[in-house]
Amino acid sequence: DRDVTGVQTCALPIFKLCNIAKLITSLFCLSINFFIHICQLLGYVNFILIILYHSFCKVQVFNANDSKRHKNVKMILEILAIRVYNITSRFILIFLQRMVIMNRFVLNETSYHGAGAINSIPDEINGRGFKKVLVASDPDLVKFGVTKKVTDVLENAGIEYTLYSDIKPNPTIENVQHGVEVFKESGADCIVAIGGGSSMDTAKAVGIIINNPEFADVRSLEGVAPTKNKAVPIIAVPTTAGTAAEVTINYVITDVEKNRKMVCVDVHDIPVVAVVDPDMMSTMPKGLTAATGMDALTHAIEGYITKGAWELSDMFHLKAIEIISKSLRGAVENTPEGREGMALGQYVAGMGFSNVGLGIVHSMAHPLGALYDTPHGVANAIILPTVMEYNAPATGDKYKIGRASCRERV
C-alpha cells in the first residue's frame, strides 16, 4: 500500500503538468486556427473586391467617356482591395514576428571602466593596427582642456592624430559632412570620439558614411538605414554620464533646414571600444550632471517597460536604476563615488535600451530639443513623470519590482 501511495503521490504532479501542457497546446492550436480563419476571411474579402473591381470596371484606365460616378467607384474598389491586401500582409507579418521568439543583443567588443581607463587607449590603437587617429571632440571640451587629457596620452605613446572640433551641442548635417571631409584629408583609419552624445553621434555618422559612401546624403541615414559595412572603428570616451552613446547603436543628427532631429539606428555604428573613465566627467557643472543623469535614468526606466523588453534587458535596466538612484546626488556634488557610480550606471542602462528601444518620453523630448533647444536631459525630466503615470496601467508589476530594487527614492 505504501508503495502504491508513493507512486500515486509522485504521479500527481506529473499528471497536472501533462494537463497544463495539453491546455497550452489546445490554446495554441485554437490561436493558429483563429489566425488561419482571419487570413481566409481577409483573403475572401480581398478576392471579392478584386472581382467587383474588374467586373464593374472593364477598362483598366480612365477613359474620357467614363462617368464621374464610374471613376469614383473604380477608385474606391481599387483602394479597398489594396487596403485589405496590406492589412492581410501586415497581420501575417506581425503574427510571424510574434511566433519567432528571438532577441538580439549588440554590445562593444571591449570596454574599460574606472579611473585612469583612458591610459588603455594606446594599447587598443596599436593592438588593432591603426596608424593615425581622427580625434572628434566639441569646442568647449577642447577649450577647457578635457580633450587634452586624451591627446596627451596619444602624444606620449607617439600616436599621430588630427583634431576635429566643428561639432555643435546638437550636431547638424553640416557638422557630419565637414567631418567626412576632414577624415578623408587626414588619412586617419580610426576615430577617437571624446565628449557627450554630440561628439559620438557625429563620429558615428562620419564613420558610417566613410565606409558606406552610397549614404553620403546624411538624411538617407534616418531610421534604420540598410548599410552593408561597419563604420570606421570608433573608440568612444564619454565625458558625460547620461547618453551612453559609447555603447548604443543609435545617433541623432539635427536637420537645421527642416528644423527637426533625425534618429538613426544602425548596428554597424556601435563603437568597437568604450573607455568609461569617471575622471573625464569630473569637470561637468552641477546643472549638466543633473540633466545628463536624468537622461540616464529615463533610459533605464523606459527601456525597462518598453514592449521589446525581456529578461536580459530587464537585468541591465533594474541594475541601472539601482546604481543611478544611489549615485546621482553624489555625482552632482562631484564626489568620486558619485561620479564612478553614474559612469557605470549610465553605461549599464545603455547596454539595455540600445537593444530594446525607448518610449514616448524620448519621442517627445527630441522635438523639444529641435524646436526650443531644450537640453535633452531636462526635457526628459519634465516629461518622464507624466508618461510614467500614463503607462502605469499597462506595465503590470514592473513599477513595483523596479521600486523594490531601489533602496533610495529617485
Side-chain angles (χ1 to χ4, degrees):
D1 291 340
R2 288 180 183 177
D3 291 340
V4 172
T5 305
V7 170
Q8 289 177 341
T9 304
C10 294
L12 282 175
I14 297 174
F15 291 146
K16 288 181 179 179
L17 287 173
C18 289
N19 289 331
I20 293 171
K22 287 180 181 179
L23 178 61
I24 292 172
T25 304
S26 300
L27 290 173
F28 179 75
C29 292
L30 285 172
S31 65
I32 293 289
N33 289 330
F34 176 74
F35 166 74
I36 292 171
H37 285 109
I38 290 293
C39 288
Q40 287 176 340
L41 178 62
L42 290 171
Y44 291 147
V45 172
N46 190 35
F47 182 69
I48 292 169
L49 287 171
I50 292 172
I51 291 175
L52 286 173
Y53 173 69
H54 285 288
S55 61
F56 185 81
C57 316
K58 294 181 180 179
V59 290
Q60 294 185 358
V61 295
F62 296 149
N63 297 322
N65 297 328
D66 289 343
S67 66
K68 187 174 182 181
R69 181 177 296 176
H70 189 192
K71 291 180 181 178
N72 289 339
V73 172
K74 285 167 63 178
M75 187 178 298
I76 290 170
L77 288 172
E78 183 176 16
I79 291 172
L80 283 173
I82 293 171
R83 287 287 175 85
V84 172
Y85 173 78
N86 288 338
I87 290 171
T88 306
S89 301
R90 284 185 184 179
F91 189 80
I92 293 171
L93 178 61
I94 291 170
F95 180 82
L96 291 175
Q97 288 175 338
R98 291 288 186 270
M99 290 296 295
V100 179
I101 303 173
M102 181 184 70
N103 295 289
R104 180 192 67 187
F105 241 74
V106 182
L107 300 171
N108 307 116
E109 291 180 15
T110 310
S111 64
Y112 295 88
H113 302 267
I118 58 172
N119 294 311
S120 65
I121 295 175
D123 292 336
E124 283 292 335
I125 293 172
N126 293 325
R128 294 173 182 271
F130 302 140
K131 302 301 181 184
K132 188 175 180 180
V133 177
L134 178 72
V135 175
S137 190
D138 68 68
D140 285 341
L141 293 176
V142 175
K143 178 181 177 181
F144 293 110
V146 178
T147 305
K148 192 175 185 298
K149 294 180 181 179
V150 176
T151 56
D152 282 350
V153 172
L154 297 178
E155 290 174 5
N156 292 336
I159 296 173
E160 190 179 357
Y161 68 89
T162 296
L163 177 62
Y164 175 63
S165 60
D166 181 21
I167 300 172
K168 293 184 177 179
N170 290 306
T172 65
I173 290 174
E174 291 72 23
N175 294 150
V176 174
Q177 291 170 335
H178 188 199
V180 170
E181 294 173 4
V182 173
F183 184 91
K184 291 178 179 178
E185 293 170 359
S186 70
D189 53 7
C190 71
I191 301 173
V192 173
I194 306 166
S198 56
S199 298
M200 293 188 203
D201 286 0
T202 304
K204 289 178 180 180
V206 169
I208 284 290
I209 292 173
I210 290 295
N211 284 354
N212 298 272
E214 65 273 23
F215 290 91
D217 179 3
V218 181
R219 291 188 180 91
S220 67
L221 295 171
E222 185 173 13
V224 184
T227 59
K228 297 178 181 178
N229 303 314
K230 289 185 177 181
V232 171
I234 299 170
I235 298 175
V237 186
T239 59
T240 62
T243 65
E246 70 275 11
V247 69
T248 67
I249 60 173
N250 317 309
Y251 58 99
V252 181
I253 304 298
T254 300
D255 185 342
V256 176
E257 184 181 329
K258 296 183 179 180
N259 201 24
R260 58 189 293 271
K261 286 190 174 185
M262 303 182 300
V263 178
C264 310
V265 182
D266 191 341
V267 293
H268 292 141
D269 68 40
I270 190 167
V272 292
V273 179
V275 181
V276 187
D277 189 333
D279 288 346
M280 293 293 293
M281 307 169 188
S282 60
T283 57
M284 275 197 299
K286 288 186 175 183
L288 181 59
T289 301
T292 55
M294 285 306 300
D295 187 21
L297 181 62
T298 305
H299 289 158
I301 293 173
E302 283 206 291
Y304 177 54
I305 63 171
T306 189
K307 290 187 71 175
W310 58 295
E311 286 84 352
L312 184 57
S313 64
D314 284 354
M315 176 184 71
F316 288 121
H317 291 133
L318 285 172
K319 193 62 181 179
I321 293 170
E322 177 188 341
I323 296 171
I324 293 168
S325 67
K326 67 182 181 183
S327 302
L328 182 52
R329 293 179 181 86
V332 171
E333 297 301 324
N334 206 26
T335 66
E337 297 78 14
R339 290 291 185 194
E340 189 167 354
M342 281 305 302
L344 178 61
Q346 63 92 31
Y347 182 86
V348 173
M351 293 171 77
F353 86 82
S354 176
N355 289 285
V356 297
L358 294 168
I360 59 174
V361 175
H362 272 76
S363 68
M364 290 191 288
H366 285 308
L368 277 177
L371 291 173
Y372 304 107
D373 208 25
T374 307
H376 183 61
V378 173
N380 283 332
I382 292 170
I383 301 168
L384 179 62
T386 302
V387 171
M388 287 184 68
E389 183 179 356
Y390 175 80
N391 285 334
T395 58
D397 292 330
K398 280 207 159 186
Y399 281 170
K400 293 179 181 177
I401 297 170
R403 187 175 181 180
S405 71
C406 296
R407 297 178 182 178
E408 295 188 28
R409 292 184 62 189
V410 179

